[in-house]
């Protein structure tokens, strides 16, 4: 089993995908699976067509990223196409994208079943699922996948993104391209796999219960307008109908996802804007009755968390052979520390044990917590490391 990456920062899409493909083909002719993350390129179909032409027998999954990507070679801002390829003779991999007018859960279920069919491993549980969906479909997609298997198959993923939250995100597989839908890859690798999903934020003593919600809008906390409560918490006035993404990136809202050794761990929701009725829109779905905690972070936290080891291998001096990895890093966090992303890339490389990896910047992150819960959150970091003992 071998994992490799390549990239191109050329501006013209045709030239960029051509360069990235040629770099990859110089080292690997026939990947089992090809992941593609791109930023600053509008024509996803052009990228897909070139990849299908050069790798006709390869399963492919592509997803747009916000203002750049990371690989083991560093941070590539703005305009870039990155490729992550695995060759695994005895493994199996499958990709599928469903983009219909059905509910996200129905699309997710169909996508997973089609991806498994593409592997030829029908009836066998995959080791992991990579999920990339258009924003808004994540929680329902995770729930549907979990129900389909009846056991918590680990999920890692990120919501498709664009440069300015303008709805120009794109997804594709070997079969087709779409701006909306649910795309997955299923993995049956011939190696061990370890996961990490965390935020790096700390819980404050401030909390309240959601007493009125509407989809992804938090309208009331403890029967008061959410805007008023959040203003008091962060000690900063908020304006109606304006983005508060940057301001709130260091002060997200957290909900308890589980408890380990009597200590809670949290999934985060990133406040996006204030509505006319005094509500706050979020990048995650919420429910009435949930308790929200004000979380607190610093730029140093957002930089240093990238170095958190996957599986504790380095910290425990566990002897492994790292093959490669995938990471998902929140776009909101990236924008908050953009001037320090070279540091993030270096810490991520160390966490991945110097193995080849790729990392897009997404509008929502999916992962499996230490308690086994697959969840969607914001301002999170999700990782997977492929290794041999």
């Amino acid at each position: 089993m071998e994992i490799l990456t390549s990239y191109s920062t050329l501006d013209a899409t045709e030239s960029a995908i051509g360069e990235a493909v040629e770099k990859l083909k110089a080292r690997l002719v026939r990947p089992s699976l090809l992941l593609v993350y791109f930023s600053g390129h509008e024509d996803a179909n052009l990228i897909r067509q070139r990849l299908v032409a050069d790798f006709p027998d390869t399963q492919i999954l592509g997803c747009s990223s916000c203002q750049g990507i990371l690989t083991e070679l560093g941070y590539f801002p703005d305009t870039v196409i990155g490729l992550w390829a695995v060759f695994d003779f005895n493994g199996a991999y499958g990709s599928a994208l469903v983009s219909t007018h059905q509910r996200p859960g129905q699309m997710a279920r169909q996508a997973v079943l089609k991806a498994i069919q593409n592997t030829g491993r029908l009836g066998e549980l995959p080791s992991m699922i990579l999920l990339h969906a258009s924003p808004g479909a994540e929680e329902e997609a995770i729930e549907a996948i979990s129900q389909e298997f009846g056991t918590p198959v680990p999920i890692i993923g990120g919501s498709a993104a664009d440069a300015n939250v303008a709805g120009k995100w794109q997804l594709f597989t070997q079969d087709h391209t779409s701006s909306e839908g649910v795309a997955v890859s299923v993995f049956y690798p011939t190696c061990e796999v370890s996961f990490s999903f965390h935020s790096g934020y700390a819980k404050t003593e401030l909390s309240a219960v959601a007493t009125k919600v509407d989809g992804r809008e938090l309208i009331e906390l403890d029967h008061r307008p959410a805007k008023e409560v959040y203003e008091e918490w962060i000690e900063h006035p908020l304006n109606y109908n304006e983005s508060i993404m940057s301001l709130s990136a260091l002060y997200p809202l957290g909900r308890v996802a589980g408890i380990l050794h009597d200590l809670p761990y949290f999934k985060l929701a990133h406040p996006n804007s204030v509505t006319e009725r005094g509500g706050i829109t979020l990048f995650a779905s919420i429910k009435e009755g949930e308790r929200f905690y004000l979380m607190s972070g610093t730029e140093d936290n957002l930089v240093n968390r990238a170095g958190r080891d996957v599986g504790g291998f380095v910290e425990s001096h566990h002897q492994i052979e790292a093959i490669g990895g995938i990471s998902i890093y929140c776009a909101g966090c990236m924008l908050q520390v953009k001037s320090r992303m070279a540091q993030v890339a270096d810490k991520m490389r160390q966490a991945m044990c110097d193995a080849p990896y790729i990392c897009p910047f997404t509008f929502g992150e999916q992962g499996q917590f230490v308690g086994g819960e697959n969840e969607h959150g914001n301002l999170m970091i999700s990782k997977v490391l492929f290794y041999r003992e």
Side-chain angles (χ1 to χ4, degrees):
M1 180 176 174
E2 184 178 14
I3 291 174
L4 297 169
T5 67
S6 71
Y7 73 94
S8 175
T9 57
L10 296 177
D11 290 333
T13 301
E14 187 171 6
S15 300
I17 188 57
E19 181 178 57
V21 164
E22 292 308 313
K23 286 181 180 179
L24 185 63
K25 288 174 69 175
R27 297 180 292 162
L28 184 62
V29 177
R30 190 177 177 182
S32 307
L33 173 67
L34 192 57
L35 305 180
V36 192
Y37 298 107
F38 54 100
S39 171
H41 294 278
E42 301 295 332
D43 195 345
N45 204 44
L46 181 61
I47 300 173
R48 185 190 68 82
Q49 289 172 352
R50 174 61 192 263
L51 293 174
V52 170
D54 280 82
F55 305 106
D57 300 319
T58 297
Q59 295 290 296
I60 300 170
L61 176 57
C63 180
S64 54
S65 177
C66 176
Q67 300 185 28
I69 64 168
L70 300 174
T71 79
E72 75 278 8
L73 297 179
Y75 167 52
F76 302 100
D78 305 320
T79 302
V80 62
I81 296 176
L83 305 180
W84 181 98
V86 57
F87 174 74
D88 191 355
F89 184 77
N90 292 313
Y93 303 82
S95 296
L97 165 63
V98 175
S99 51
T100 63
H101 296 295
Q102 301 176 86
R103 295 290 305 172
Q106 294 173 302
M107 289 191 288
R109 185 175 291 107
Q110 291 175 19
V112 166
L113 293 177
K114 183 178 179 182
I116 292 175
Q117 186 176 27
N118 288 343
T119 70
R121 297 283 188 93
L122 292 173
E124 184 179 342
L125 285 177
S127 296
M128 63 164 276
I129 296 169
L130 177 64
L131 170 66
H132 289 304
S134 49
E138 305 94 342
E139 288 97 348
E140 193 173 334
I142 291 173
E143 182 179 0
I145 291 170
S146 299
Q147 290 177 350
E148 182 64 34
F149 292 120
T151 186
V153 175
I155 294 174
I156 178 176
S159 313
D162 61 10
N164 301 299
V165 200
K168 294 183 178 180
W169 43 76
Q170 300 176 81
L171 298 162
F172 68 82
T173 62
Q174 63 279 355
D175 296 320
H176 70 286
T177 303
S178 180
S179 60
E180 301 290 332
V182 178
V184 302
S185 288
V186 293
F187 290 63
Y188 299 84
T190 55
C191 71
E192 300 297 321
V193 187
S194 186
F195 303 90
S196 173
F197 189 44
H198 58 92
S199 72
Y201 289 76
K203 177 181 76 71
T204 72
E205 297 305 311
L206 299 170
S207 73
V209 173
T211 49
K212 188 175 182 180
V213 303
D214 183 5
R216 290 190 165 186
E217 182 184 354
L218 178 58
I219 302 173
E220 291 182 357
L221 285 166
D222 286 349
H223 303 286
R224 296 176 57 205
K227 171 183 179 291
E228 293 182 7
V229 176
Y230 190 67
E231 281 179 326
E232 292 175 4
W233 283 357
I234 66 173
E235 299 180 347
H236 194 287
L238 304 177
N239 295 321
Y240 292 98
N241 298 322
E242 286 187 7
S243 172
I244 59 172
M245 281 179 57
S246 179
L247 174 66
S248 64
L250 297 180
Y251 300 100
L253 299 175
R255 292 164 289 171
V256 174
I259 296 176
L260 182 68
H261 304 311
D262 296 325
L263 294 175
Y265 47 89
F266 296 84
K267 58 181 177 180
L268 306 186
H270 188 183
N272 176 30
S273 63
V274 178
T275 66
E276 290 285 354
R277 56 182 169 179
I280 294 175
T281 63
L282 306 166
F283 285 100
S285 298
I286 54 178
K287 298 177 182 177
E288 287 186 11
E290 289 185 306
R291 179 166 291 276
F292 285 83
Y293 295 84
L294 179 68
M295 309 294 287
S296 177
T298 67
E299 290 192 1
D300 283 343
N301 292 149
L302 300 186
V303 172
N304 292 328
R305 70 178 187 169
R308 184 169 170 177
D309 194 19
V310 185
F313 296 123
V314 174
E315 295 171 2
S316 64
H317 305 287
H318 191 53
Q319 294 298 313
I320 66 164
E321 177 192 352
I323 302 169
I326 304 166
S327 184
I328 310 293
Y329 193 92
C330 172
C333 293
M334 179 276 294
L335 294 172
Q336 191 70 29
V337 296
K338 194 167 187 179
S339 64
R340 301 176 63 184
M341 285 305 294
Q343 293 176 257
V344 174
D346 187 54
K347 291 183 180 295
M348 188 84 76
R349 177 185 56 78
Q350 295 174 40
M352 292 292 184
C353 304
D354 294 313
Y357 80 89
I358 199 164
C359 176
F361 307 128
T362 57
F363 286 165
E365 297 70 54
Q366 295 89 53
Q368 186 176 72
F369 283 109
V370 292
E373 306 92 347
N374 286 317
E375 297 281 2
H376 164 74
N378 306 141
L379 301 168
M380 309 284 286
I381 184 168
S382 192
K383 300 175 191 166
V384 58
L385 181 69
F386 302 91
Y387 68 96
R388 298 185 184 93
E389 295 280 359

